[in-house]
Amino acid sequence: MAQDGVLRERNRGQMVAIFSRVLGHSARVSPDDMAKKLDGILVRGEVVKAGFQVIRDYFAFTTLRLIFVDHQGMTGKKVSYHSIPYRSITQYKLETAGRFDLEAELKIWVSGLQQPYVKTLSRGVDIRAIQRGLTSFVIFGPQGAVPDEDQKP
């Protein structure tokens, strides 16, 4: 009987996590877990500094670039990898979700392109952590460090 209660509580926790992701909340992903997801994509010497997952898509700050991974279609078997070297980022803009907005938005202007790269982020994504990561690497280059996740702006 006690095991039934434990299983029910564990299942409830798993369902809450699933619904949080479906409703658009993002989660930070450890650098080690993100490196596993990017196995075969990272080059020798490239290190994941921070990662975020929004539903089934994710993005990572590495020592060399910002990588967006977009699972497409119903099954998600088609995957798009978009790499942006920090040195080519000329400016960026983050917009938080408002009271009635369901999503936030990240715009990155890359040298040589007139239009920015636009990524829609779900409500609840840690915009400040993304801002710190971008600023750190764009300004300081590969030596930039993503601040600890518990750091408050």
Side-chain angles (χ1 to χ4, degrees):
M1 297 269 179
Q3 286 182 345
D4 283 345
V6 171
L7 288 175
R8 229 175 294 147
E9 190 63 30
R10 185 180 304 149
N11 289 340
R12 189 169 69 120
Q14 290 171 345
M15 290 304 290
V16 168
I18 290 169
F19 281 122
S20 290
R21 287 223 174 134
V22 169
L23 293 174
H25 292 90
S26 68
R28 284 192 76 144
V29 179
S30 76
D32 290 338
D33 289 343
M34 186 58 68
K36 289 176 189 169
K37 290 177 180 277
L38 295 171
D39 184 41
I41 302 298
L42 300 174
V43 297
R44 185 180 322 179
E46 184 175 18
V47 177
V48 174
K49 293 295 211 170
F52 296 86
Q53 182 162 357
V54 181
I55 306 177
R56 62 183 185 178
D57 298 335
Y58 47 94
F59 57 100
F61 292 99
T62 76
T63 50
L64 302 176
R65 58 191 164 154
L66 179 59
I67 303 172
F68 291 96
V69 181
D70 181 17
H71 291 264
Q72 302 172 354
M74 292 296 286
T75 63
K77 288 186 178 184
K78 182 177 179 181
V79 181
S80 168
Y81 296 92
H82 191 139
S83 295
I84 302 174
Y86 298 117
R87 69 180 179 278
S88 68
I89 297 174
T90 58
Q91 63 177 312
Y92 51 91
K93 178 179 181 178
L94 287 153
E95 294 179 7
T96 62
R99 176 172 271 174
F100 300 107
D101 298 330
L102 295 177
E103 48 206 27
E105 194 171 68
L106 168 63
K107 293 181 180 179
I108 299 175
W109 283 264
V110 178
S111 60
L113 299 178
Q114 288 185 336
Q115 297 299 315
Y117 173 75
V118 179
K119 184 70 177 170
T120 301
L121 306 169
S122 300
R123 177 185 285 276
V125 70
D126 190 348
I127 294 289
R128 290 184 174 136
I130 296 169
Q131 175 78 24
R132 286 191 307 268
L134 275 169
T135 301
S136 177
F137 284 109
V138 169
I139 291 175
F140 299 111
Q143 294 77 25
V146 176
D148 293 337
E149 63 185 74
D150 62 346
Q151 178 179 342
K152 301 293 181 214

